[in-house]
Structures are given as C-alpha cells and as structure tokens.
Amino acid sequence: MLLLCLCVFHRAMLSEWFWWDRLWLPRPVTWVDLQDSEGRVYARVSHLYIILPVAVLLLGLRAFYERYTHKLNVIEKTSLHQHKFTCWFLLNSAGGIADIKGVCKKLGWSERQVERWFRRRRNQDRPGLLKKFKEASWRFAFYLCSSFGGVLALHDKPWFYDLREVWAGFPKQSLLDSQYWYYIIEMSFYGSLLFSVAADVKRKDFKEQLVHHWATLTLLSFSWCANYIRIGTLVMLVHDTSDVLLESAKMFNYAGWETTCNSIFVVFALVFMVTRLIIFPFWLIHCTWVYPLDQFEPFFGYYFFNVMLVVLLLLHVFWASVILRMVKKFIFGKLKGDERSDEEEDEEGSEEDYTHTYSNESGNGLSNGH
C-alpha cells in the first residue's frame, strides 16, 4: 500500500513538473489564463486522444484505396508490340527462354530490343513496383486533400498574409474548428505512417523518414499544447505543397510515363527548393525566432519549438542533396527513377548478363512474371 502511494505521489510530482507553466508558456501567463471562457476555446491535450482511432481509420481507408488502385492495373503496358510479346511470353514461359535469336525471328525484333523488353518486363513484374505505386498514390491523394484543406482554412486569416499576426495576443488565441481538424487529420496521417512503416517499401532514407515522422509528430503535439497553432498550420501547408508534386512524379515514374514524370519532377524540384529552403527558414523560422521576442522573453518552449524546426530544416537539406543528385542525372540523361528506392535492373546492361540470366533459368525461374 505504501509503495502504491509513493508511486502515485511521484507520478503526480512528475506530472506537475512536466506541465510547469514556465516550460510551456511565457511569463506571466499560466495555465489558469488558458481556461475556456468568454467564448474562447483553447487547445487541450485531451483533444489529441482522437488521433489514434483516426489513424486506424486512415489505415483502413488506405487498404480500401490500395485495393481499388490494384484493380486499375495502371502499371500494365499498352504498346501493341508489347501485348504481342506478352502473349508469346506467357505461352512459352513454362519451358524457359534461352533462344534469343528464335524470339527475334518470331517477332521481327532485333536482339537489343528483345533484351531491353525482358529487362523492362522483369522490372515491371518486381513485387515492389505496384506496391510502390499504391503507396505513392495514397500519399498523393492525402497531400492533395490536405493542401486544399489547408488553403481553405487559412486563405481568409490575417496571419496567412502578415506573419506578425501569428503572435497577436499569444498565447491567448482561441482555437478554431478549421485548425482543430487540420491538426487532427495531419497528425493522424503521420501516426498511420509510423504504424505502417514496417510493411511499406523500405527505402535508402528509411532512418531519415523515421526521424522526420517522429519530429513532425513531436513538433505538432508541442505546438498544439503550447498554442503555437497558427504557425503550426503554416508549417504544415508549406510541407504538403511540395509533397503533392513528389508523390505524383513517383506515380508516373512507376506507371512508366517517363516524360510526364520528368516534367513534374522539374516542377517539384523548384517548388521544394522554394518552400523548404527559402520560405521555411527565411519566413517561418524567422517568424518563430525573431517576432516572439517583441512580446515576451524567451522560455523553454520557445527554444524547444525552434530546435525542432531546425531539425526539420536539416532533413530538408539532406533531401535537397538527394534531389540535386537526381537533377544531375536528369540533365545527363541518367535518371532512372526514385533516387531513394532500391535500384531496378539496368536496361542498358550487357548482352552477357541477359544471356547468363536466362540460360540458367528453369521453367519456373520466371515466377515474378506469372
């Protein structure tokens, strides 16, 4: 009994220390000043409990969406010659394919064309390709809706045009319905990404993605509790804008629409550099670092919030370097897809590689193509 009382006492002390006014709020504001009154509604930690069920709901919606996307069969090639060769391929795959010259005679193709088609076919039938497309299309759908909702929620707000209005009356700023739902849906989405990260396609920047998701959730949770909601909505909108273009470019890449993919990628690279490396640090971080000092003295929450924004900025610099490498490959005609993804088979591989691959395959060696 005594041990239980001590545990309760220490828990109460820890909670009291964690929610100490000076950690979260500037002087002389206290939590008592942020009680709902006179038509004002303030953000509460209890409001965030709904995130878990909404995240689960988003996972269910994603499963339904990906099943519908699978039925679209968007990865399928539509060339007449490819349809002809696909039929021949399916009829003869059971016995293996080793006679390239025989295939060339039947279809009237050069050996180079046959080799290139087989490489594309193997890349097309890799188990992860359709999965990557479905993941990208789900993120594209969310970011598109989120960006539209963000603009709808912010277009008539004064702080959308004048960043000094972000801190007008802070922290005594009433919570709006649009801000509530914008936050809850955005945080639930990133929560669902953490739940599904083990099942998603693992990329080269897997660790950076985990850091990004955790940093985003920590930043949004803190900004919610400390009533940094106005600047939080602006940060979300800036990030979602470029993500729409990124996921759409990846969709067209996985679907084989190279020209469309390259065009969107160029636009994405420009938007990313402007929003993440110019607007984010020189407008938004400047807004959180400089303007608050005109109204109150620095406190722990002020430093913590800005440190988390800098963490996101460092991640942006990392991804900007990846994008620049892709731009370099694009300029020199060597861009093959998502720089973060596992490498697909090179279409310009040597004939020896192709011959070795197929001369050693048995009848069921093409299981990925079935």
Side-chain angles (χ1 to χ4, degrees):
M1 185 65 179
L2 179 60
L3 182 60
L4 179 61
C5 292
L6 288 175
C7 291
V8 172
F9 174 76
H10 285 296
R11 182 177 179 182
M13 289 292 294
L14 181 62
S15 177
E16 183 179 353
W17 175 84
F18 182 80
W19 293 108
W20 183 36
D21 300 329
R22 298 287 69 83
L23 289 178
W24 297 81
L25 304 172
R27 294 181 182 273
V29 182
T30 65
W31 292 116
V32 176
D33 299 321
L34 298 183
Q35 298 295 324
D36 298 348
S37 62
E38 300 178 358
R40 288 179 174 268
V41 178
Y42 297 102
R44 294 281 179 268
V45 178
S46 58
H47 294 160
L48 300 181
Y49 294 157
I50 196 177
I51 290 177
L52 181 59
V54 174
V56 174
L57 180 63
L58 286 175
L59 287 174
L61 184 61
R62 173 181 175 177
F64 174 81
Y65 177 86
E66 291 184 350
R67 174 174 294 186
Y68 175 75
T69 304
H70 178 71
K71 292 180 179 180
L72 292 179
N73 200 20
V74 292
I75 308 298
E76 182 181 5
K77 302 295 183 180
T78 57
S79 168
L80 179 61
H81 285 294
Q82 287 174 343
H83 279 309
K84 179 182 177 181
F85 197 24
T86 299
C87 294
W88 185 89
F89 172 82
L90 293 176
L91 288 173
N92 293 273
S93 59
I97 300 177
D99 187 1
I100 302 176
K101 294 183 179 180
V103 175
C104 295
K105 291 180 179 179
K106 288 186 177 183
L107 298 176
W109 284 9
S110 66
E111 292 186 19
R112 192 63 163 174
Q113 287 177 306
V114 173
E115 295 165 15
R116 182 173 299 176
W117 188 94
F118 269 108
R119 290 190 180 89
R120 289 180 176 177
R121 177 73 186 190
R122 292 198 299 274
N123 285 333
Q124 175 185 338
D125 290 331
R126 293 181 67 188
L129 189 58
L130 182 58
K131 183 178 178 64
K132 290 177 183 178
F133 178 88
K134 291 189 290 186
E135 288 181 9
S137 62
W138 165 249
R139 290 186 172 93
F140 167 77
F142 176 83
Y143 289 131
L144 182 62
C145 294
S146 178
S147 299
F148 179 77
V151 172
L152 194 64
L154 293 172
H155 78 282
D156 59 343
K157 305 300 186 296
W159 55 87
F160 186 66
Y161 306 96
D162 182 4
L163 291 179
R164 290 187 178 273
E165 289 293 325
V166 167
W167 306 106
F170 178 85
K172 299 180 181 180
Q173 298 171 340
S174 183
L175 176 66
L176 305 177
D177 290 340
S178 58
Q179 294 172 330
Y180 172 82
W181 287 111
Y182 194 15
Y183 256 80
I184 293 301
I185 294 176
E186 193 86 9
M187 293 180 69
S188 299
F189 175 72
Y190 281 104
S192 69
L193 291 183
L194 284 177
F195 293 151
S196 63
V197 68
D200 291 342
V201 176
K202 190 172 182 179
R203 303 182 185 277
K204 297 176 183 178
D205 63 347
F206 175 76
K207 295 180 180 179
E208 288 79 5
Q209 285 284 354
L210 283 180
V211 173
H212 174 268
H213 296 341
W214 278 113
T216 301
L217 285 172
T218 303
L219 184 63
L220 292 178
S221 300
F222 177 84
S223 64
W224 179 269
C225 297
N227 217 21
Y228 279 62
I229 295 178
R230 292 184 179 180
I231 188 64
T233 54
L234 294 175
V235 171
M236 288 189 292
L237 181 60
V238 165
H239 283 69
D240 289 347
T241 303
S242 59
D243 285 337
V244 174
L245 295 170
L246 172 63
E247 301 302 334
S248 61
K250 289 159 66 176
M251 286 169 56
F252 286 113
N253 174 48
Y254 300 143
W257 295 28
E258 295 182 4
T259 302
T260 305
C261 169
N262 293 339
S263 301
I264 296 178
F265 173 76
V266 171
V267 178
F268 158 73
L270 293 175
V271 173
F272 183 94
M273 298 301 174
V274 171
T275 57
R276 304 288 185 94
L277 299 183
I278 297 178
I279 294 179
F280 182 63
F282 296 107
W283 268 264
L284 299 187
I285 294 183
H286 180 268
C287 171
T288 62
W289 198 275
V290 177
Y291 295 161
L293 300 181
D294 296 336
Q295 302 188 41
F296 51 79
E297 296 181 358
F299 59 104
F300 174 80
Y302 165 83
Y303 292 114
F304 180 81
F305 188 75
N306 281 286
V307 166
M308 294 305 298
L309 291 180
V310 172
V311 170
L312 283 182
L313 178 60
L314 293 177
L315 289 172
H316 298 339
V317 172
F318 166 77
W319 280 313
S321 66
V322 174
I323 293 172
L324 290 177
R325 288 200 301 267
M326 295 178 70
V327 170
K328 180 180 178 181
K329 292 182 179 181
F330 175 76
I331 293 175
F332 292 98
K334 297 180 180 180
L335 183 61
K336 297 295 183 184
D338 189 352
E339 180 75 12
R340 303 177 304 146
S341 302
D342 294 333
E343 294 295 331
E344 293 186 352
E345 191 173 358
D346 187 3
E347 291 187 8
E348 300 302 325
S350 64
E351 180 179 347
E352 289 76 9
D353 293 339
Y354 167 84
T355 305
H356 174 75
T357 300
Y358 279 94
S359 62
N360 289 287
E361 286 180 336
S362 61
N364 59 359
L366 302 174
S367 59
N368 285 345
H370 287 169

